[in-house]
């Protein structure tokens, strides 16, 4: 049972098609590598000979494993959107069919185009197993010998019965496979965990054990290819081609056999990539070059409101006490002493922040008059005295401005164009383009809806644009990547460079749910 064989159709140099009986879908594996080396050792009479043109021994696939079922399926009811074509719902089996009959759409998956069912040829009836959401059914299935292969047979597609035909022996109901899709897209359930849940459900109903997680993974990947989700993976805000797409790397850590061979890590260096050996980190590309000023502003903005506490207030009395102040909690004098020390400590911290405000305002004003005046209005000494509470959006904006990252992290090339458009035409329509700069967008949007831009907001926008433009010019000496790089290296179908797990992970996100 543990034996396997390798088959080679080609020339003595090792070129040609290799296959392994352990995994017929693999075009490269450890077994094939050993066989390729053995062939060269036999031909050359050298026990140390190796096939230098062979693969590295890792599992590689020309595509996802094929199933007998092949007819496209509509998305599950819960995943459909308005643009999906109308159609009758797929049936749900409540009792096992006596026999699953062949139809005109029945086929064998051994080749493309498929070998189809012929009514003039004999039919054979075989036993089969159907896995449902609650247990296992045993039934029979009609099959027909395939004229093009010796190890497979033509079988029914099963779509009209709500079945997915894996290999004419194992069949799975659509609602079972959709249940995993639902679990994954709602809570990122791993295959192993979901199979464990199904096994417990089967055990409760005293049913036969479910298939292994490895088997189910192959079945589900083949099934999800048939679900029609290809033409409407569109973000409602960004359109069909978002500039930025974020995926959960932990979720995508599935078995590598489900990856197509063209997928490469983003860190892979192409052979035709340009080499730039003189690139050096450029200093002072932050919004505010002065490191001490950035730190001072962060300290002012971080912490409780800049209002001195009242010793008699409930907030002061409920103040948490430092754990290193040991005292008998039953002793009123000890408790009073602890409260007093905590009050003094907090007050001193606030005083230190307040004392730093005038210098911060002065330094910010030297950078840009409007920047300093906006900070002074919301966080200056007069704001502290009058207990003016600044909206959180202004705090977030200034925290972004004093961040340690380069200004191009806040305002990239595309965002610069949007910001320039708003400066030239400060309307609500132009402001909507500032979503690429969230911190600034929320401030602008808040002011426009509150009656108009503040007296210093436009000045801050101009200063941010100049600062980003200056940083970009500094980096221009290193050149730009080729503009046509993405277009030249993007295949027509995204499935060719990604795994179908990413596809399903995007159901709720990209379909607007």
């Amino acid at each position: 049972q543990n034996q396997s064989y390798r088959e080679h159709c080609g020339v003595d140099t090792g070129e040609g098609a290799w296959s392994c009986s352990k995994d017929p879908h693999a075009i490269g594996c450890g077994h094939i590598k050993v066989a390729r080396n053995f062939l060269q050792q036999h031909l050359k009479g050298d026990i140390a000979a190796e096939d230098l043109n062979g693969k590295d021994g890792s599992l590689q696939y020309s595509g996802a494993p094929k199933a007998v079922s092949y007819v496209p399926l509509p998305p599950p009811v819960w995943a459909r959107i308005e643009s999906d074509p109308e159609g009758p719902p797929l049936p749900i089996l409540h009792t096992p069919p006596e026999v699953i009959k062949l139809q005109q759409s029945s086929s064998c998956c051994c080749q493309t185009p498929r070998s189809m069912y012929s009514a003039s040829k004999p039919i054979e009836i075989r036993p089969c197993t159907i896995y449902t959401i609650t247990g296992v059914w045993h039934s029979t299935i009609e099959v027909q010998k395939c004229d093009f292969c010796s190890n497979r047979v033509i079988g029914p597609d099963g779509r009209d019965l709500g079945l997915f035909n894996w290999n004419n022996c194992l069949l799975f109901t659509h609602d079972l496979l959709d249940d995993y899709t639902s679990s994954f897209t709602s809570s990122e359930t791993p295959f192993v965990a979901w199979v464990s849940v199904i096994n417990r459900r089967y055990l409760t109903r005293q049913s036969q054990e479910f298939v292994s997680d490895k088997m189910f993974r192959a079945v589900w990947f083949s099934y999800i290819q048939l679900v029609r989700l290809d033409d409407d993976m569109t973000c409602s805000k960004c359109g069909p081609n978002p500039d930025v797409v974020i995926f959960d790397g932990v979720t995508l850590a599935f078995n590598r056999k489900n990856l197509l061979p063209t997928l490469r890590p983003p860190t892979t260096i192409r052979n035709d990539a340009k080499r730039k050996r003189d690139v050096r980190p450029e200093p002072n590309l932050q919004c505010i070059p002065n490191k001490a000023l950035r730190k001072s502003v962060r300290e002012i903005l971080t912490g409780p409101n800049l209002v001195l506490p009242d010793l008699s207030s409930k907030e002061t009395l409920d103040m948490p006490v430092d754990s290193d102040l040991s005292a008998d909690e039953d002793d009123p004098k000890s408790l009073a002493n602890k409260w007093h020390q905590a009050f003094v400590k907090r007050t001193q911290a606030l005083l230190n922040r307040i004392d730093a405000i005038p210098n911060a305002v002065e330094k910010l004003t030297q950078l840009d008059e409007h920047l300093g005046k906006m900070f002074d209005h919301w966080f200056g000494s007069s704001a502290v005295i009058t207990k003016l509470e600044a909206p959180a959006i202004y705090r977030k904006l200034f925290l972004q401005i004093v961040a340690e990252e380069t200004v191009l992290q806040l305002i990239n090339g595309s965002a610069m164009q949007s910001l320039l458009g708003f400066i030239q035409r400060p309307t609500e329509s132009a402001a909507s383009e500032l979503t690429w700069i969230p911190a600034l967008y929320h401030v602008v949007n808040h002011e426009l809806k509150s009656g108009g831009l503040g007296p210093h907001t436009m000045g801050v926008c101009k200063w941010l644009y100049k600062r980003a433009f200056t940083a970009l010019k500094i980096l221009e000496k290193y050149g730009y990547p080729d503009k046509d790089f993405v277009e030249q290296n993007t295949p027509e179908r995204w499935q060719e460079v990604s795994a179908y797990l990413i596809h399903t992970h995007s159901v709720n996100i990209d379909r607007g749910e």
Side-chain angles (χ1 to χ4, degrees):
Q1 293 181 350
N2 294 327
Q3 293 180 350
S4 63
Y5 61 88
R6 266 64 65 195
E7 181 178 350
H8 173 230
C9 296
V11 296
D12 289 348
T13 61
E15 296 181 357
W18 288 83
S19 63
C20 176
S21 63
K22 280 289 186 180
D23 196 339
H25 303 288
I27 59 174
C29 69
H31 299 144
I32 292 177
K33 178 177 176 60
V34 173
R36 295 182 71 117
N37 291 338
F38 180 79
L39 175 62
Q40 298 305 312
Q41 294 167 9
H42 174 74
L43 293 174
K44 298 177 180 179
D46 181 2
I47 194 173
E50 293 184 359
D51 186 346
L52 300 179
N53 297 321
K55 305 292 183 181
D56 60 1
S58 60
L59 278 174
Q60 299 183 33
Y61 290 83
S62 58
K66 292 183 179 180
V68 177
S69 292
Y70 70 97
V71 178
L73 299 167
V77 175
W78 49 265
R80 296 183 186 180
I81 58 178
E82 294 180 357
S83 60
D84 287 331
E86 294 291 337
L90 295 176
I92 297 179
L93 282 177
H94 297 286
T95 56
E98 293 184 4
V99 60
I100 304 172
K101 296 183 176 294
L102 288 168
Q103 298 177 332
Q104 291 299 323
S105 61
S106 301
S107 67
C108 178
C109 61
C110 63
Q111 65 175 7
T112 303
R114 291 183 169 227
S115 173
M116 304 303 293
Y117 161 73
S118 174
S120 61
K121 296 179 180 179
I123 294 174
E124 179 184 351
I125 297 180
R126 294 183 179 182
C128 66
T129 303
I130 302 174
Y131 293 92
T132 74
I133 196 72
T134 57
V136 174
W137 294 338
H138 296 284
S139 183
T140 55
I141 185 172
E142 291 183 351
V143 296
Q144 187 177 79
K145 185 178 179 181
C146 177
D147 294 334
F148 295 95
C149 64
S150 59
N151 58 338
R152 291 187 177 94
V153 291
I154 296 172
D157 180 271
R159 181 185 189 276
D160 296 336
L161 296 176
L163 294 174
F164 176 75
N165 187 354
W166 171 241
N167 58 5
N168 292 317
C169 295
L170 305 179
L171 295 90
F172 300 79
T173 60
H174 291 163
D175 57 334
L176 172 71
L177 297 167
D178 289 341
D179 185 78
Y180 175 73
T181 306
S182 175
S183 297
F184 177 79
T185 55
S186 60
S187 61
E188 303 181 2
T189 308
F191 286 104
V192 175
W194 189 84
V195 168
S196 177
V197 170
I198 296 298
N199 265 321
R200 293 174 182 178
R201 186 181 301 164
Y202 278 23
L203 181 62
T204 301
R205 290 169 171 77
Q206 299 182 351
S207 181
Q208 176 182 325
E209 187 176 359
F210 192 57
V211 297
S212 67
D213 61 280
K214 181 179 180 180
M215 169 63 73
F216 179 76
R217 188 183 297 113
V219 171
W220 184 85
F221 272 97
S222 294
Y223 168 77
I224 204 61
Q225 294 180 67
L226 305 182
V227 181
R228 293 179 295 187
L229 300 172
D230 295 19
D231 302 326
D232 51 13
M233 310 298 284
T234 302
C235 175
S236 58
K237 293 185 178 180
C238 307
N241 301 304
D243 289 348
V244 179
V245 180
I246 301 175
F247 294 105
D248 183 351
V250 176
T251 301
L252 301 183
F254 50 83
N255 196 301
R256 64 180 178 178
K257 70 177 293 183
N258 296 312
L259 295 174
L260 298 183
T262 50
L263 184 64
R264 295 291 183 270
T267 53
T268 300
I269 300 177
R270 296 171 53 87
N271 294 331
D272 57 348
K274 292 183 178 180
R275 298 311 198 259
K276 298 181 179 181
R277 306 185 185 280
D278 59 340
V279 176
R280 297 290 185 273
E282 292 290 338
N284 302 325
L285 293 181
Q286 295 86 351
C287 286
I288 297 177
N290 189 327
K291 183 177 181 180
L293 178 57
R294 295 197 301 268
K295 180 180 180 181
S296 177
V297 174
R298 283 198 301 271
E299 290 176 350
I300 293 172
L301 297 177
T302 305
N305 290 335
L306 293 169
V307 179
L308 290 176
D310 183 0
L311 181 59
S312 61
S313 68
K314 184 180 185 299
E315 179 184 2
T316 302
L317 294 177
D318 293 339
M319 192 181 307
V321 181
D322 291 347
S323 59
D324 60 342
L325 296 177
S326 58
D328 186 358
E329 295 185 0
D330 295 331
D331 185 356
K333 292 184 178 181
S334 298
L335 290 175
N337 182 51
K338 292 170 66 176
W339 288 333
H340 178 71
Q341 292 185 49
F343 169 76
V344 171
K345 184 175 181 179
R346 179 178 178 183
T347 302
Q348 186 59 50
L350 282 174
L351 288 174
N352 292 338
R353 293 168 60 198
I354 293 172
D355 289 342
I357 290 176
N359 182 63
V361 172
E362 179 183 356
K363 297 292 185 182
L364 290 173
T365 305
Q366 291 175 0
L367 281 176
D368 181 79
E369 180 181 0
H370 295 285
L371 181 67
K373 288 184 176 180
M374 176 184 280
F375 184 83
D376 185 49
H377 173 74
W378 291 111
F379 306 103
S381 301
S382 59
V384 175
I385 295 172
T386 59
K387 298 185 179 180
L388 175 63
E389 186 173 352
I393 53 177
Y394 291 96
R395 182 187 298 268
K396 292 179 180 178
L397 174 61
F398 275 98
L399 286 175
Q400 288 287 323
I401 290 175
V402 298
E404 294 298 323
E405 291 81 10
T406 169
V407 63
L408 296 178
Q409 289 280 79
L410 176 64
I411 308 174
N412 59 22
S414 301
M416 283 180 61
Q417 297 303 316
S418 301
L419 180 55
L420 179 60
F422 175 74
I423 293 172
Q424 296 172 342
R425 188 171 54 90
T427 62
E428 288 192 19
S429 175
S432 64
E433 298 295 327
L434 295 179
T435 51
W436 292 106
I437 319 171
L440 181 61
Y441 166 74
H442 290 306
V443 169
V444 170
N445 187 52
H446 167 73
E447 293 183 353
L448 289 176
K449 291 185 177 180
S450 301
L453 290 176
H456 309 296
T457 303
M458 183 55 68
V460 172
C461 289
K462 293 178 180 179
W463 173 78
L464 284 171
Y465 176 80
K466 292 177 182 178
R467 187 71 189 120
F469 184 81
T470 301
L472 189 61
K473 283 295 182 182
I474 292 175
L475 297 178
E476 272 188 353
K477 62 184 180 182
Y478 298 117
Y480 292 98
D482 295 337
K483 294 182 178 179
D484 299 332
F485 174 79
V486 176
E487 288 77 4
Q488 293 175 356
N489 294 280
T490 301
E492 294 181 359
R493 290 179 55 82
W494 61 267
Q495 290 96 331
E496 295 179 10
V497 293
S498 60
Y500 289 96
L501 189 55
I502 299 178
H503 189 162
T504 307
H505 182 57
S506 302
V507 168
N508 285 358
I509 298 175
D510 294 334
R511 290 168 65 85
E513 298 188 0

